[in-house]
Amino acid sequence: GEDVEQSLFLSVREGDSSVINCTYTDSSSTYLYWYKQEPGAGLQLLTYIFSNMDMKQDQRLTVLLNKKDKHLSLRIADTQTGDSAIYFCAESPRDDKIIFGKGTRLHILP
Amino acid sequence: EAGVAQSPRYKIIEKRQSVAFWCNPISGHATLYWYQQILGQGPKLLIQFQNNGVVDDSQLPKDRFSAERLKGVDSTLKIQPAKLEDSAVYLCASSDRQGAPEAFFGQGTRLTVV
């Protein structure tokens, strides 16, 4: 089956690192994604990782993939107030289908 | 490059009425998606088109929802008749199937059924 699970809330102090975790079920997923949604806006792709990679780094973002455990994480270094949003993990099992989790709301503490 | 355009942005209707949403994907994008996002939840895929053919509509409530993509470009999603539980944001996205299937999203149509 296709299912993506992630925790609903995360609070982090400004300047600290945020780590958002996700598990997925379809081992055939070729790509895994992190999308960001700010209030009243559509979804914006932050980054993605190909399934044969373990890690991908892009400026303040680090994606880690444990394919054996079907676990994906997003680390945001030096978290800023502008990072406050809902972060969605998503998998792409086949035919460009994209399945989303329920989203993790990241709250930044001053 | 123009993004995915959706209209209207907001719609309020009474239950049992009909409503239609329109989406214009990014030029040249073969894949078009309609998602339903209920408040506090993640987007749920309703239907996926590849050009003007349906790839996946397994989660589309076909007794009341219909969608078409004539000529493989614009798409409309219709609800008839609407129920209270259809209140949600309806998101359209498109991708070009080049490399990673990155989906580009429109701003969505917020539907309120009263």
Side-chain angles (χ1 to χ4, degrees), chain A residues 2 8 30-31 33 35 37 39-46 48-50 86 88 91-92 94-103 105, chain B residues 9-10 31 33 35 37 40-45 48 50 55-56 58-59 91 95-97 99-108 110:
Chain A
E2 301 154 351
L8 295 182
T30 307
Y31 297 97
Y33 305 87
Y35 277 81
Q37 187 175 40
L43 279 79
Q44 173 196 359
L45 179 69
L46 274 181
Y48 66 89
I49 189 167
F50 189 55
I86 302 175
F88 291 93
E91 63 172 340
S92 183
R94 64 186 176 281
D95 296 330
D96 300 342
K97 187 173 180 178
I98 303 177
I99 306 299
F100 288 86
K102 285 185 168 55
R105 185 179 295 274
Chain B
R9 284 294 312 276
Y10 306 93
T31 305
Y33 314 81
Y35 286 87
Q37 187 177 21
Q41 297 185 20
K44 176 182 127 182
L45 180 66
Q48 178 184 341
Q50 182 68 22
V55 174
D56 189 323
S58 56
Q59 300 220 73
L91 295 164
S95 71
D96 66 2
R97 296 202 84 190
E102 173 184 351
F104 293 85
F105 281 81
Q107 289 196 289
R110 182 177 296 277

Side-chain angles (χ1 to χ4, degrees), chain A residues 55-79:
Chain A
M55 186 181 87
K56 181 179 179 181
Q57 187 147 4
D58 183 3
Q59 298 182 340
R60 290 192 298 123
L61 305 178
T62 303
V63 178
L64 295 178
L65 174 61
N66 182 328
K67 200 172 176 184
K68 174 175 167 288
D69 295 337
K70 297 190 200 121
H71 182 267
L72 184 74
S73 68
L74 174 70
R75 178 176 179 267
I76 306 172
D78 187 24
T79 308

